[in-house]
Structures are given as C-alpha cells and as structure tokens.
Amino acid sequence: MIFQLLYMMNRLFIYLFTLATLVVTACNQQEGVEAKKNQLKDYRNEVKELQSKIATLEEEIATEDPDYAVVNKNATLVTTLPIKTDTFSHYIKVSGNVASDKNVTVNAEASAEVSQVKVKKGDQVRKGQVLIVQDAETTRRNIAELETSLELASTRFERQSNLWEQEIGTEMQYLEAKNNMESIERRLASAQSQLNNYMVIAPFSGTIDQVFVKEGEVTMPGVPILRLVSLEDMYVEAEISETYLGEFNQGDPVTVRFPSLNKSIQATISSIGQVINENNRTFEVQVQMPEEASVLRPNLLAVLEIKNFEQADAVIIPTNLIQSDNRGDYVFVAKETENGLVAEKKRVERGMTYDNQTMIVTGLEQGILLIDEGAREVAEGAFVKVNDQNEVSTAVSSK
C-alpha cells in the first residue's frame, strides 16, 4: 500500500509538471488552442482523481499503521549524499600577464632629421636589418675631410720615417709626424663609428608593432622611434603573496588560463623570485610559454592555477552543507531509528576548501548518509524522508 502511495505521488508530480508545460506552451502558441484546452481539462481531471486516491490510501495506512502516519506527516523531504573518499587538491589562483623580453621600444642615438623610414607597422624584420636612416651628411663630410688629412699625414710620416732611417732630421720631427698620423686615424675611426648611430638597426628578428616617426621629423637621443616585438620566448609573470612562499618549486606544473581566449595551457614554473616586494609583500613567479602558443600577445591577461596541496583518500563534501554554531562546525546526517530516519548533527573538523568543496579532517566516514537538499530546513532529531527518485521511477516503469 505504501508502494502504491509513492507510485501515485510520482504520477501526480508528472501530471503537474506536464500541466505547467502545457500552460506555458499555450501562452506562446495560438495554433490548436481549443485542442490544448480540452487536453488541459483532461489532465486536471486525472490530477483530481490521483489526489483522491492518495488521500484514500493515506487514510487506510493511518488506520493500519498509526506510527507510520505520525512520522511521515511531520517528516521533512530531503535528499542524501553517501560519504565517499577521493583525492583532494588545492590550487592557488592568481592573475598575471603575458610578457616577453623581446618587446622593446627602439630609440634614436643621434639628433638628426629622419631621411628614410624603411619599414611600416606589421613588417617582419630580421636581426641586423636597417629600419630607419637619419641624415648624416655633416658626419660624412667630416669623414671625407679626415680621410684627406689622413692621406697627407701618412705621406708626411712615410717621408719623415725614410729620412729618419737615413739619420736625416731630428727625432722630434719623426715623432710629431707619427703622432699626427695616429691622431687623425683615431678621429676618423670615431667619426665612422658615429655614422652608425644615424642608422637604426633591428636588435633581433620580429614584427614592427608601431612606428613613431615620419620622414622629415627630427629625432632626439633617447626618444622612442619604433616598437619591435617578437612572439618567441614569451612567459607569464605574476605576483604571489608571501603567505605561499615555499609551497611550490621551480618545475612544478601549472595550468595557465587565458579568459579572453577561452584557452588553457599546461606549463611549468620556470623561475621563482628571491626577493619580497616590500610595497605589496609579494614575490614574482614566471611560467615559460611553449613555442606553439603563437596566439598569445604581450600584456594578455592570464590566470595561473598552481597546486599547493594534495591528499589522497580524503573525505570531501560540498562546502554549503557545513553549518556552524557556538560549538563549532557540523553537518546533518540521516540516522536510522526504530521509528524511521531522523536528522542528526555530526560535528566535523574542516580542512582546506577549494572550488566549493571542503576536505573533512575528522567527523565523517564512509557509510554515513549526508543530508543534502533540505539540510537548512531540518533540526536535530527531526524526522526526515529521503526523496529517492530513482526508486520511484523504477516502480513506475515496472507497472
């Protein structure tokens, strides 16, 4: 008889759900309205019939088994979870940014007019390629004059050297000619070196990200004239609180998520900072990105997930089921008694929490039924009834 009551209650739930679905559908669709109204009327009649049968069965059960009637009248409908053990892992989540040592602004080394811009934004360049040429006419003229002076000084020194070998002239004349020639050579070398400052050379292979100057503009030393970026050797850098110092090491695995790309990469910690930032009490962690991660760009937001704790065979329960009073933390479990299931407070000691799951250190073991839905509505010693939908569904399908 109890089984029949559960069966009809399940049928009632199904009909009520179907009824609600039909009402919503009827509001949104106009086609076949009359037929749906008739169907709705039929369902309502069936619901009334089921409700009548349920009431009759409840009266019959109350007559034959008064204890069952009292318990189930006051019982709270709940669901339960079996206590199981699994591996519990805790991760540190921290935000960082993609960075690259090959993301630089190239500056002018000489003050001069830009005579030629040989690249544009987006160009791929190779190391040593000339990017920008500045007007160096004054320096070139100076070099030409020095080359002429050096030619004359070399001839004079050669002649003076020959005379000196023939013991003609004085040693002072020989030394003066030699010194004059060497002085011009040094000045010429310096001028030729300065000439290189009027050409901006790519320090490494990469992509021109921005060009800040135009032909005809005058540049100043130290002022950026273009940005050069390479997507090689990129890494993610993040600052982590000193609280976690010593909880992970170089080479530990890391999951790096990129929210804007909806992408994750498995990597390892490449370096850990050895100095604490005195301003925010953090230390730096770097995670080298694999070469195939070419979709990444400097300054892209990243989230690092670093495992700092793991325990096998741990009791893990949903965090929202843990409640607290003046004695500490507890959960409600379903305890079997002579009169039926009752809710019982079970004192627990909680461990670490991650992703809405908490590891229980003591208080729970396998075999206990943890009250899930309805845990906030029950009290110590209150009767509960487990809503076992699987059992009801099996009974319906067997009819």
Side-chain angles (χ1 to χ4, degrees), residues 114-315:
V114 175
S115 60
Q116 188 177 9
V117 178
K118 302 175 74 65
V119 293
K120 62 182 182 299
K121 184 177 180 179
D123 283 354
Q124 300 289 326
V125 299
R126 64 184 184 279
K127 181 178 180 179
Q129 180 177 335
V130 177
L131 308 178
I132 290 178
V133 178
Q134 296 174 275
D135 183 11
E137 184 61 28
T138 302
T139 302
R140 289 193 178 90
R141 290 178 180 176
N142 186 30
I143 291 174
E145 292 178 0
L146 289 173
E147 288 175 341
T148 301
S149 299
L150 179 60
E151 184 179 354
L152 177 60
S154 298
T155 301
R156 181 174 298 170
F157 172 71
E158 183 179 355
R159 291 180 179 179
Q160 192 64 44
S161 178
N162 291 333
L163 292 174
W164 176 247
E165 290 177 357
Q166 298 174 20
E167 297 183 355
I168 300 174
T170 65
E171 182 179 5
M172 185 61 66
Q173 291 174 322
Y174 168 77
L175 294 176
E176 287 177 350
K178 181 181 179 181
N179 181 67
N180 184 47
M181 181 189 69
E182 292 177 347
S183 175
I184 296 175
E185 285 177 342
R186 289 190 295 269
R187 289 163 56 193
L188 179 59
S190 177
Q192 289 173 337
S193 176
Q194 291 177 4
L195 185 61
N196 294 330
N197 295 339
Y198 292 87
M199 291 188 297
V200 178
I201 308 297
F204 52 82
S205 299
T207 304
I208 301 298
D209 186 62
Q210 285 183 303
V211 179
F212 303 119
V213 296
K214 300 176 182 178
E215 292 183 6
E217 292 183 346
V218 176
T219 62
M220 299 296 294
V223 176
I225 57 177
L226 57 83
R227 177 183 292 277
L228 180 62
V229 178
S230 174
L231 300 183
E232 298 178 353
D233 300 326
M234 288 192 295
Y235 56 89
V236 173
E237 57 182 3
E239 294 182 338
I240 299 179
S241 171
E242 64 180 357
T243 306
Y244 299 106
L245 191 64
E247 294 194 7
F248 41 84
N249 301 293
Q250 185 175 350
D252 285 354
V254 180
T255 298
V256 186
R257 294 193 299 105
F258 302 96
S260 59
L261 301 179
N262 194 24
K263 180 182 179 66
S264 296
I265 293 178
Q266 299 300 319
T268 59
I269 297 176
S270 55
S271 68
I272 298 176
Q274 302 301 306
V275 177
I276 301 297
N277 187 326
E278 61 182 5
N279 295 322
N280 55 14
R281 312 309 304 174
T282 61
F283 61 96
E284 188 178 89
V285 170
Q286 289 187 0
V287 178
Q288 193 70 34
M289 292 292 96
E291 294 295 334
E292 59 269 20
S294 58
V295 69
L296 305 182
R297 295 294 183 271
N299 300 320
L300 180 68
L301 178 65
V303 177
L304 303 184
E305 296 182 0
I306 310 173
K307 184 189 297 184
N308 69 323
F309 177 83
E310 182 176 83
Q311 180 170 321
D313 298 325
V315 175

Side-chain angles (χ1 to χ4, degrees), residues 290-393:
E291 294 295 334
E292 59 269 20
S294 58
V295 69
L296 305 182
R297 295 294 183 271
N299 300 320
L300 180 68
L301 178 65
V303 177
L304 303 184
E305 296 182 0
I306 310 173
K307 184 189 297 184
N308 69 323
F309 177 83
E310 182 176 83
Q311 180 170 321
D313 298 325
V315 175
I316 307 170
I317 67 172
T319 304
N320 66 310
L321 299 184
I322 303 176
Q323 304 182 54
S324 300
D325 58 16
N326 56 0
R327 293 179 55 193
D329 296 328
Y330 67 90
V331 295
F332 276 113
V333 299
K335 181 181 180 181
E336 185 71 39
T337 67
E338 293 181 356
N339 295 324
L341 289 174
V342 298
E344 179 187 27
K345 276 186 179 181
K346 199 75 171 175
R347 296 289 166 180
V348 296
E349 178 185 351
R350 72 170 79 191
M352 302 184 76
T353 296
Y354 180 75
D355 198 19
N356 299 320
Q357 298 290 312
T358 297
M359 182 182 69
I360 300 300
V361 179
T362 59
L364 295 178
E365 57 272 350
Q366 294 190 48
I368 293 178
L369 287 179
L370 180 67
I371 296 179
D372 182 11
E373 295 182 13
R376 299 283 176 175
E377 285 74 41
V378 298
E380 175 78 11
F383 286 105
V384 296
K385 183 168 64 173
V386 177
N387 182 18
D388 193 343
Q389 292 293 337
N390 291 332
E391 181 180 337
V392 174
S393 300

